Amino acid sequence: MRNRYLDLLRFLAIVRVVVYHVVGFASLTLVFPAMSVMFALAGSLMAASLDRSGPTAVLRRLRRLLPSLWVLAAVFVPAMLLTGLPLTPRVLLWLFPVSDPPANGWGALALSPIWYLRDYLWFVFASPIALWLFRRAPLPTLLAPYVLLVVIESGIWPNAPGPFREFGLYFGAWLLGFAHHAGMLRRLANRVLVPAVLLLAAAGGAWILTHPGPRGFDLNDNHLGNALWSLAFILVVLGRGPSGAAWVDRNAVFGRVVTVLNRRALTIYLWHMPFVVGLTPLFDGVGWSHEDPRGLAIRVVLVFALVGVVTLAVGWVEDLAARRRPELLPGGR
C-alpha cells in the first residue's frame, strides 16, 4: 500500500523544481530542498526493493528509469545533431548516462536536468554494497559522504573528480532514505533529533551566508551548505513526519493530482526544462518579466500546461517501464 505522505513529499518536490526553474527564486531552494528530498525518497524505495528482490532490484530500477530518458533522447538528440552536435561514440551515453552525455549549446541548458539521472544511476549501482555496510555500521556509513564533502569543500581535496563531489552532496540523502526505510529516523529520540537538526541547520545556514554564490543564497551554488541544510530538513520531514496522509484523498481532485504527478514524476522532470528554455525568449519579448508577478504566474501556468500535454503524450512509457497497464491519466478507477 502506498504511503500518501511520501507521495505528497514527492509531489511538492517536483512542483518546487519546476517552479524554481521558471521563476529562479533562490529562496525556494532553502524553503524546500527538493533534490535532496527526492534522493532520500528514492533511497528509501531502493532499500525496500533490495529487501524484496535482492541485487536484481538494480536491474528493476534501471528498467523503470531508462525508457523515459530514451523517449526524450529520441526527440532531442537528432535535433542537436542537426544543429551542430558532433556524432561521436559519446552520443551513446544518451542511452545509459553513467557520465554526462554530450550536448550542444542550447541542448546543454534545455537538457541540464540529466545530471539527476546520472547521479541516480551511480547511487543505484552502489546501493547493494551501501545497504550491506549501512546495516553493519549505520552511523559511519551515513556520515561518510558528508565527511567526503567537507574534505573537498574545505580545500583539502580541491581537485576531486566530479562523481566524488556528487556522492558527497547527495548520497548522504540517499542513505537517509535507507535509515527511513529501517525506521531509524522515527525512532530517534527528540533529545537527539532536535539538537542535531538545530546544529545542522545553523552550520548549513552559516556556511550559506558566508559563502554566497553567483545567485546569492541559492543552495545549488553551495554544496556544503546544501548538504547540511538538506540533512536537517530531511531529518524533520522524514523523522517527524506523519506515518501517512489519508487526508490527501479526501479531496478527489487533489488526490488525483498527487497521484498523477507521482506516476509521471520522471516525465515531468525530464521535459519541463526544454519548455522553460524555449519559452523564455517569448516571455521576455512580450514583457512577462521576472519582476512582474502577473508575468511570473503566466510563465508558471504555461510551462505546466505544456508539460501536461507532453505528459499525456508520452507519460504512459513510465507505466510500461513499471509493468503497469498504460494509462493516459493515472489514478482512475
Side-chain angles (χ1 to χ4, degrees):
M1 185 174 180
R2 294 190 66 88
N3 185 323
R4 293 300 268 171
Y5 176 64
L6 301 186
D7 285 350
L8 180 63
L9 286 179
R10 189 179 294 104
F11 164 80
L12 294 174
I14 198 68
V15 170
R16 204 285 283 158
V17 167
V18 176
V19 172
Y20 165 76
H21 283 145
V22 176
V23 304
F25 292 163
S27 57
L28 290 175
T29 66
L30 292 165
V31 172
F32 196 96
M35 298 313 302
S36 292
V37 171
M38 289 171 66
F39 278 121
L41 295 175
S44 181
L45 291 174
M46 188 66 200
S49 296
L50 287 168
D51 281 345
R52 284 194 304 269
S53 52
T56 59
V58 172
L59 296 178
R60 292 172 183 265
R61 193 59 53 182
L62 297 181
R63 187 196 70 216
R64 298 186 66 163
L65 184 71
L66 294 174
S68 294
L69 170 64
W70 296 339
V71 172
L72 182 82
V75 174
F76 285 98
V77 171
M80 290 191 293
L81 291 172
L82 291 173
T83 54
L85 178 66
L87 181 58
T88 68
R90 284 186 57 82
V91 171
L92 295 175
L93 286 170
W94 283 103
L95 298 176
F96 204 80
V98 291
S99 181
D100 290 328
N104 61 1
W106 63 267
L109 184 58
L111 304 175
S112 56
I114 294 298
W115 71 265
Y116 172 72
L117 272 72
R118 178 202 65 210
D119 287 3
Y120 198 115
L121 284 177
W122 280 110
F123 295 171
V124 166
F125 291 142
S127 286
I129 294 176
L131 185 59
W132 183 86
L133 291 171
F134 179 80
R135 285 179 171 161
R136 282 151 183 79
L139 189 58
T141 304
L142 179 60
L143 291 178
Y146 298 100
V147 172
L148 174 63
L149 187 61
V150 169
V151 169
I152 294 172
E153 295 298 310
S154 64
I156 298 175
W157 192 14
N159 299 317
F164 286 89
R165 192 181 298 271
E166 297 301 318
F167 264 86
L169 175 55
Y170 288 120
F171 198 58
W174 187 277
L175 294 175
L176 281 174
F178 288 2
H180 169 262
H181 171 68
M184 296 169 61
L185 299 185
R186 189 171 296 278
R187 291 196 298 268
L188 275 178
N190 284 334
R191 57 186 173 80
V192 175
L193 183 100
V194 173
V197 167
L198 294 175
L199 180 62
L200 290 166
W207 188 267
I208 293 165
L209 288 173
T210 55
H211 297 79
R215 291 173 289 188
F217 304 123
D218 192 312
L219 287 187
N220 295 303
D221 300 328
N222 193 317
H223 288 156
L224 184 55
N226 185 352
L228 295 174
W229 185 267
S230 297
L231 174 55
F233 188 90
I234 293 168
L235 285 174
V236 173
V237 298
L238 291 185
R240 288 299 177 268
S243 58
W247 61 266
V248 167
D249 295 311
R250 291 174 188 167
N251 182 291
V253 174
F254 181 65
R256 186 73 179 275
V257 171
V258 171
T259 297
V260 170
L261 263 72
N262 271 269
R263 294 279 186 89
R264 299 292 184 260
L266 185 56
T267 301
I268 295 169
Y269 179 80
L270 289 173
W271 283 90
H272 79 279
M273 198 61 181
F275 288 118
V276 173
V277 172
L279 292 174
T280 294
L282 172 63
F283 293 150
D284 294 339
V286 298
W288 296 342
S289 70
H290 280 83
E291 287 74 29
D292 176 16
R294 182 175 65 91
L296 281 177
I298 294 173
R299 286 173 181 246
V300 171
V301 170
L302 188 54
V303 167
F304 269 107
L306 292 172
V307 170
V309 172
V310 171
T311 301
L312 285 173
V314 301
W316 51 269
V317 172
E318 293 195 59
D319 291 329
L320 291 179
R323 296 184 177 175
R324 296 189 298 258
R325 181 174 60 86
E327 297 178 283
L328 287 179
L329 199 62
R333 293 183 178 180

